[in-house]
């Protein structure tokens, strides 16, 4: 196991390129089940991508990775199963369910369990796919689904705009018979990216990015050849890093249009964010940040995936910040660890109150999930003395070369072997 050792107090200066989006790459890779052929570029090199490639391989797909490009091709027989061993390491494996039923008429996918940020059921995915004609059962920890013939297009109104649920139905509907209308669909930019990728393969989709998506099923899809959008959460995390460590950082391939709520809140807190030409952005800290409130919401609201990093930035701000989490019921696991660094934070239900302090002081802290780990790393950049972040395998699931990018910006951060069993 590995840890990060961070000596805080260095301002960040220089340029960083934002990698391709993890949460856009994952569904598009699973969309290769529908098309049988895919060439995806700008795919970030990180653990969840490796897990997805492994899952596709064990189903019988030929998967080749070269640099940031992944190619998938269906070989002979396809095993329509996602086993427990892989699903338990990556919940997004559930995204193979819709494509498998639509293409092969059957699927057996391990039921994802709860995780560090909440219960995260998949009931909405299952209800929608049943409505499309799949016969779904749950036994021995597995979801088994079968359809007699093809899935049928229908109208689906989600109780909540679930991101994964929208993606599963969107993919399944491309090969269903007739038209599917998804109401109260999630509007996240990663869904727009998935729809664009599928359209390149011949899928007929309208309305992505709004809360009504219409899909007209076709009998066959061609190859997907697509370049994944940049990762808006990685970009937001680097903004938060500058908010904590200070300095001036230019980001390339910055997905400006997708980060409205995040940019607005950091600007409200006093950070300077200037759009340059050619998808570049300059982020500059000129003064101590001011306490600022946020409420996490589905897109285009403030993303839950940026809540922990924003909270870390508010720990050193002047004044009080109120942070309300409305998407996941248990996404405050970083609070106790930030307190270990000296942050003044209290929790009341789904709301956290941060009283900004003058300084944070390095300590040993343990990451509990992907974005919590990111918050601890960026807090460590601003803390006095040394911060050691354990269980960074969480971070490796979703950030490409995080410490290398930070090193290039002047941070003193090293990856070392952990002396602990984790
Ligand atoms: C996606 O998860 C992202 N994952 C998450 O990113 C992100 O936090 C989340 O969307 C919200 O933006 C990927 O894209 C791979 P949801 P997903 O279905 O699809 C409840 C990260 O850090 N719900 O929109 O699982 C659910 O419990 C990750 O990169 C049901 O009740 O999110 C949650 O409270 C973490 N029943 C809420 O809806 C369902 O059937 C939002 O979940 C489905 C969801």
């Amino acid at each position: 196991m590995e840890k990060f050792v961070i000596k805080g107090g260095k301002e960040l200066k220089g340029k960083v390129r934002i990698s391709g989006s993890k949460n856009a790459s994952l569904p598009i890779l699973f969309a290769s089940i529908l098309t049988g052929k895919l060439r995806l570029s700008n795919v970030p090199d990180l653990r969840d991508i490796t897990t997805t490639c492994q899952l596709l391989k064990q189903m019988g797909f030929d998967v080749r990775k070269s640099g940031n490009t992944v190619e998938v091709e269906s070989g002979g027989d396809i095993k329509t199963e996602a086993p427990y061993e892989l699903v338990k390491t990556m919940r997004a494996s559930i995204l193979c369910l819709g494509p498998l039923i639509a293409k092969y008429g059957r699927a057996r996918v391990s039921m994802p369990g709860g995780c560090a940020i909440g219960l995260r059921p998949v009931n909405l995915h299952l209800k929608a796919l049943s409505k499309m004609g799949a016969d779904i059962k749950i036994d021995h920890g597995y979801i088994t689904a079968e359809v007699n013939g093809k899935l049928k297009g229908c109208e689906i109104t989600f109780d909540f705009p679930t991101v994964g649920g929208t993606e599963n139905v969107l993919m399944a509907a491309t090969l269903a018979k007739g038209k599917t209308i998804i109401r109260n669909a999630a509007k996240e930019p990663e869904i727009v990216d998935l729809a664009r990728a599928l359209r390149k393969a011949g899928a007929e989709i309208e309305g992505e990015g709004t809360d009504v998506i219409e899909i007209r099923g076709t009998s066959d899809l061609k190859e997907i050849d697509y370049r994944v959008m940049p990762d808006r959460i990685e970009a937001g995390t680097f903004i938060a890093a500058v908010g904590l460590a200070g300095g001036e950082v230019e980001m390339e391939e910055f997905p400006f249009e997708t980060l409205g709520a995040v940019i607005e809140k950091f600007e409200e807190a006093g950070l300077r964010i200037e759009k340059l030409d050619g998808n570049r952005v300059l982020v500059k800290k000129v003064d101590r940040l001011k306490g600022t409130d946020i409420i996490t919401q589905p897109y285009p609201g403030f993303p839950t995936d940026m809540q922990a990093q924003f909270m870390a930035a508010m720990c050193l701000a002047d004044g009080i910040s109120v942070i309300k989490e409305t998407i996941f019921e248990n996404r405050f696991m970083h609070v106790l660890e930030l307190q270990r660094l000296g942050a003044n934070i209290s929790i009341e239900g789904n709301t956290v109150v941060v009283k900004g302090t003058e300084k944070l002081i390095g300590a040993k802290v343990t990451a509990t999930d992907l974005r919590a780990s990111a918050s601890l790393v960026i807090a460590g950049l601003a803390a006095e003395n040394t911060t050691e972040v354990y269980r960074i395998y969480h971070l490796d699931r979703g950030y490409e070369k995080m410490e290398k990018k930070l090193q290039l910006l002047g941070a003193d951060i090293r990856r070392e072997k952990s002396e602990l069993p984790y």
Side-chain angles (χ1 to χ4, degrees):
M1 293 293 168
E2 293 173 320
K3 64 176 179 181
F4 279 152
V5 178
I6 305 162
K7 292 212 174 90
K10 293 251 167 70
E11 288 200 336
L12 301 179
K13 277 209 163 52
K15 283 188 190 175
V16 66
R17 191 189 77 86
I18 302 305
S19 297
S21 161
K22 164 179 88 81
N23 287 349
S25 299
L26 298 176
I28 302 176
L29 286 171
F30 284 118
S32 66
I33 298 173
L34 297 164
T35 61
K37 206 163 180 209
L38 164 137
R39 185 175 187 281
L40 194 60
S41 56
N42 204 29
V43 180
D45 186 15
L46 36 86
R47 228 185 68 202
D48 276 8
I49 298 294
T50 313
T51 308
T52 306
C53 292
Q54 245 177 300
L55 186 49
L56 290 167
K57 263 188 205 162
Q58 75 88 42
M59 285 177 185
F61 288 91
D62 180 20
V63 183
R64 289 180 303 275
K65 223 166 139 217
S66 146
N68 288 101
T69 299
V70 177
E71 288 178 285
V72 182
E73 205 166 344
S74 69
D77 279 352
I78 295 299
K79 228 168 87 191
T80 55
E81 180 168 328
Y84 174 72
E85 292 68 29
L86 288 173
V87 177
K88 83 170 186 329
T89 63
M90 191 188 71
R91 296 180 48 86
S93 312
I94 189 69
L95 295 175
C96 69
L97 184 65
L100 284 176
I101 312 172
K103 177 77 178 181
Y104 297 101
R106 61 178 191 281
R108 188 165 181 270
V109 178
S110 176
M111 181 88 178
C115 73
I117 61 176
L119 286 173
R120 304 185 74 185
V122 291
N123 57 318
L124 303 176
H125 303 228
L126 304 187
K127 200 170 137 192
L129 292 166
S130 304
K131 196 163 181 204
M132 295 178 79
D135 178 18
I136 297 183
K137 291 193 182 68
I138 297 173
D139 55 25
H140 304 291
Y142 275 80
I143 302 165
T144 43
E146 260 179 26
V147 61
N148 201 353
K150 286 184 105 187
L151 287 173
K152 289 188 299 289
C154 64
E155 288 207 21
I156 287 155
T157 303
F158 279 121
D159 295 342
F160 179 88
T162 155
V163 174
T166 303
E167 290 167 345
N168 242 333
V169 173
L170 172 58
M171 288 190 277
T174 58
L175 287 182
K177 197 158 181 278
K179 187 165 151 184
T180 302
I181 302 178
I182 311 175
R183 298 189 196 281
N184 202 20
K187 295 185 279 217
E188 268 65 5
E190 292 75 15
I191 289 170
V192 175
D193 219 39
L194 170 64
R196 284 184 184 152
L198 284 166
R199 210 179 281 126
K200 286 199 92 181
E204 291 183 34
I205 303 169
E206 275 173 40
E208 72 278 8
T210 76
D211 56 5
V212 182
I213 307 180
E214 294 194 13
I215 308 111
R216 206 173 277 282
T218 56
S219 54
D220 208 14
L221 293 169
K222 303 189 297 276
E223 176 180 1
I224 295 177
D225 188 353
Y226 195 69
R227 185 173 201 277
V228 177
M229 64 177 278
D231 196 307
R232 64 190 169 108
I233 305 301
E234 188 199 13
T237 304
F238 276 101
I239 298 180
V242 178
L244 276 152
E248 191 174 318
V249 170
E250 186 183 310
M251 298 185 211
E252 290 167 0
E253 298 214 27
F254 187 95
F256 202 83
E257 308 69 40
T258 67
L259 271 166
V262 172
I263 291 172
E264 218 169 278
K265 282 295 171 182
F266 275 109
E267 281 181 339
E268 191 182 325
L271 210 56
R272 294 233 183 112
I273 302 173
E274 189 189 338
K275 190 171 191 306
L276 310 172
D277 58 349
N279 293 334
R280 289 175 311 126
V281 156
L282 186 69
V283 182
K284 192 172 173 181
K285 183 173 177 183
V286 281
D287 222 335
R288 187 177 177 196
L289 299 189
K290 291 191 297 286
T292 304
D293 304 340
I294 55 161
I295 301 179
T296 65
Q297 271 163 345
Y299 191 83
F302 192 95
T304 173
D305 290 348
M306 275 302 299
Q307 179 254 105
Q309 303 90 309
F310 192 84
M311 189 188 298
M314 290 305 103
C315 290
L316 283 177
D318 183 16
I320 291 180
S321 313
V322 179
I323 295 176
K324 190 167 170 188
E325 170 61 55
T326 73
I327 307 294
F328 291 108
E329 63 277 18
N330 191 29
R331 210 173 194 180
F332 284 149
M333 300 289 278
H334 41 284
V335 167
L336 278 171
E337 302 303 304
L338 289 170
Q339 283 172 341
R340 293 176 59 74
L341 298 174
N344 184 343
I345 310 177
S346 56
I347 309 184
E348 184 69 49
N350 69 348
T351 304
V352 149
V353 177
V354 185
K355 287 191 184 130
T357 52
E358 297 272 340
K359 60 180 181 186
L360 296 173
I361 299 172
K364 293 188 177 195
V365 288
T366 303
T368 45
D369 73 79
L370 170 56
R371 308 303 170 188
S373 354
S375 76
L376 299 175
V377 170
I378 59 176
L381 297 177
E384 289 181 358
N385 306 326
T386 304
T387 298
E388 297 185 41
V389 185
Y390 291 85
R391 291 208 169 134
I392 54 167
Y393 54 86
H394 288 296
L395 190 120
D396 292 336
R397 286 187 44 202
Y399 287 91
E400 185 177 53
K401 304 186 180 80
M402 175 80 148
E403 82 275 25
K404 298 225 165 68
K405 288 186 177 186
L406 287 169
Q407 280 161 3
L408 284 175
L409 296 175
D412 188 341
I413 175 170
R414 292 188 317 276
R415 185 182 284 264
E416 286 186 7
K417 203 170 167 330
S418 169
E419 71 286 7
L420 299 176
Y422 51 82

